[in-house]
Amino acid sequence: MTEELNEVYNKVDALFKIKIKTQIKGSGLIFNKILFVKDLLDDSECYHLVINKKVFGFSSTNEFYYGFLKIVRVFSKENQLEIDYYEEHKSNDLLPDIMFIDEALEELYDKDYKYKKLEIRLQKLLE
């Protein structure tokens, strides 16, 4: 089992039927923890999901899809900044380490592809 496809991911998938194993594997998105929280005063209930140490709470399936989509977009933007960084160095350094840069870019473009597929999947689930 990969780091991304852990028992927390399996539990989330069982609860919310997201079916995104292919996109999660190798994406760097790690499901750290899922909590079920019950307010003892008003008996309201919600979940808290921790992905890469970022927490979001939700009480409905649509809130889950929306919150997860926001997290995917944050990681997608961070990934794009890394791509831009390596592309800049590849183009402008006097003696760039092309092999290292190309390997890094290949991994980043793979993650970018997975993030885009995740966004599409989550948007479809929100419809």
Side-chain angles (χ1 to χ4, degrees):
M1 190 179 303
T2 66
E3 191 174 13
E4 292 96 347
L5 298 176
N6 57 26
E7 62 185 287
V8 178
Y9 167 80
N10 290 335
K11 186 63 170 180
V12 170
D13 188 40
L15 289 169
F16 301 103
K17 313 289 187 234
I18 50 178
K19 307 289 184 221
I20 54 172
K21 273 188 181 181
T22 304
Q23 294 87 2
I24 289 294
K25 188 175 181 180
S27 70
L29 294 173
I30 299 166
F31 287 63
N32 304 110
K33 189 171 284 220
I34 185 161
L35 304 167
F36 181 71
V37 181
K38 181 174 183 168
D39 185 318
L40 297 175
L41 297 177
D42 67 10
D43 285 335
S44 62
E45 300 173 337
C46 68
Y47 293 91
H48 285 195
L49 180 60
V50 183
I51 299 176
N52 290 41
K53 300 182 182 173
K54 294 184 186 324
V55 180
F56 72 97
F58 56 95
S59 56
S60 71
T61 302
N62 274 352
E63 285 179 10
F64 164 69
Y65 296 151
Y66 181 73
F68 188 35
L69 181 59
K70 283 174 55 176
I71 284 179
V72 169
R73 286 180 174 157
V74 165
F75 281 99
S76 181
K77 285 178 186 173
E78 290 173 2
N79 193 63
Q80 186 59 51
L81 290 174
E82 280 193 71
I83 289 171
D84 295 344
Y85 171 81
Y86 281 109
E87 291 288 358
E88 177 74 20
H89 281 284
K90 187 175 181 178
S91 301
N92 296 324
D93 285 1
L94 292 176
L95 297 170
D97 184 347
I98 296 296
M99 216 156 88
F100 173 78
I101 291 173
D102 284 345
E103 285 177 15
L105 283 171
E106 184 178 336
E107 184 178 320
L108 291 168
Y109 281 125
D110 186 49
K111 282 183 180 181
D112 189 57
Y113 175 77
K114 289 175 183 278
Y115 293 147
K116 284 182 179 21
K117 292 297 239 180
L118 275 169
E119 283 187 47
I120 291 166
R121 172 74 175 138
L122 291 166
Q123 286 170 337
K124 283 182 182 177
L125 289 169
L126 279 166
E127 293 176 354

